[in-house]
Amino acid sequence: GKGGSIAEGAKMAKGKFIGHIDIDLEISAGYIPKVVAALENGNGIALVKRNVNFNPQFILRDVGGFIHRTLVKQFLSIPATDVQSGCKFFTREILLSLLEKVKSKGWFFDVELMAYAYKSNYRIKQIPGFYIRNKKKKSTVKLFRDGVNQFQELVKLRKHLKKK
């Protein structure tokens, strides 16, 4: 899954900063210098917070994303953030320490990773950026199935975090 692939790659990486950007480039790779600069300025984590331009073609996906972000914020008591941003970078030490805690190997990986980052009080910089959907790309997201799965994972993570 996505999370497992990112974790495996991060463990093999040798750089001072480690991150990923989604392959579809709906967030431009042009933001990487700003993200790296944020890390060089003392932040442990930097990500591009997506500003989505409204497009009726993607209304269900946008509404689903809004609901997801709201539930993440409420259930995990973390600041509003784009936890599933497709452009996230970390200092090596911080990412490797977070990966020791993260259990998800799939799509929930991002939520879990960022929840542990906030709970660990790492400095997180969000850089505003545009998210431009590729209208030709067919989404693999199944709103109902994936929404139910994400909700179940969110409930489990909340229970786990309350135990600590």
Side-chain angles (χ1 to χ4, degrees):
K2 175 188 177 184
S5 297
I6 291 171
E8 288 294 316
K11 290 173 186 173
M12 289 187 272
K14 303 294 182 208
K16 179 178 176 183
F17 305 130
I18 302 171
H20 71 276
I21 186 164
D22 285 349
I23 194 167
D24 58 18
L25 296 179
E26 289 177 325
I27 297 176
S28 170
Y31 289 107
I32 293 174
K34 290 181 182 181
V35 171
V36 170
L39 295 174
E40 289 173 337
N41 287 328
N43 294 286
I45 303 165
L47 59 90
V48 174
K49 183 176 181 181
R50 300 172 290 181
N51 292 315
V52 179
N53 291 332
F54 177 74
N55 183 327
Q57 179 181 349
F58 301 109
I59 187 136
L60 287 177
R61 184 86 186 270
D62 290 345
V63 169
F66 173 78
I67 292 169
H68 183 266
R69 287 187 300 278
T70 302
L71 288 173
V72 167
K73 180 181 177 187
Q74 295 301 314
F75 267 67
L76 302 180
S77 302
I78 62 175
T81 186
D82 189 358
V83 297
Q84 291 192 293
S85 168
C87 183
K88 283 196 267 316
F89 283 71
F90 305 76
T91 64
R92 176 183 182 73
E93 297 78 23
I94 287 175
L95 181 55
L96 294 179
S97 72
L98 290 171
L99 290 177
E100 291 176 8
K101 300 174 185 179
V102 175
K103 304 289 183 250
S104 177
K105 303 290 185 217
W107 291 108
F108 194 72
F109 170 85
D110 290 300
V111 175
E112 193 176 1
L113 182 71
M114 294 307 294
Y116 284 121
Y118 274 105
K119 298 298 181 184
S120 299
N121 293 314
Y122 291 128
R123 284 183 59 190
I124 302 168
K125 175 74 174 174
Q126 296 186 71
I127 297 156
F130 287 102
Y131 176 72
I132 302 169
R133 286 216 169 96
N134 178 347
K135 294 176 185 174
K136 295 178 183 175
K137 183 185 95 175
K138 182 152 172 71
S139 176
T140 59
V141 173
K142 304 291 184 219
L143 283 176
F144 183 76
R145 181 199 68 202
D146 294 339
V148 168
N149 179 267
Q150 289 280 314
F151 184 74
Q152 290 170 333
E153 292 294 326
L154 196 53
V155 169
K156 283 187 223 172
L157 180 58
R158 179 182 178 169
K159 285 179 185 176
H160 178 74
L161 291 172
K162 284 190 174 210
K163 287 180 186 177
K164 292 189 171 229

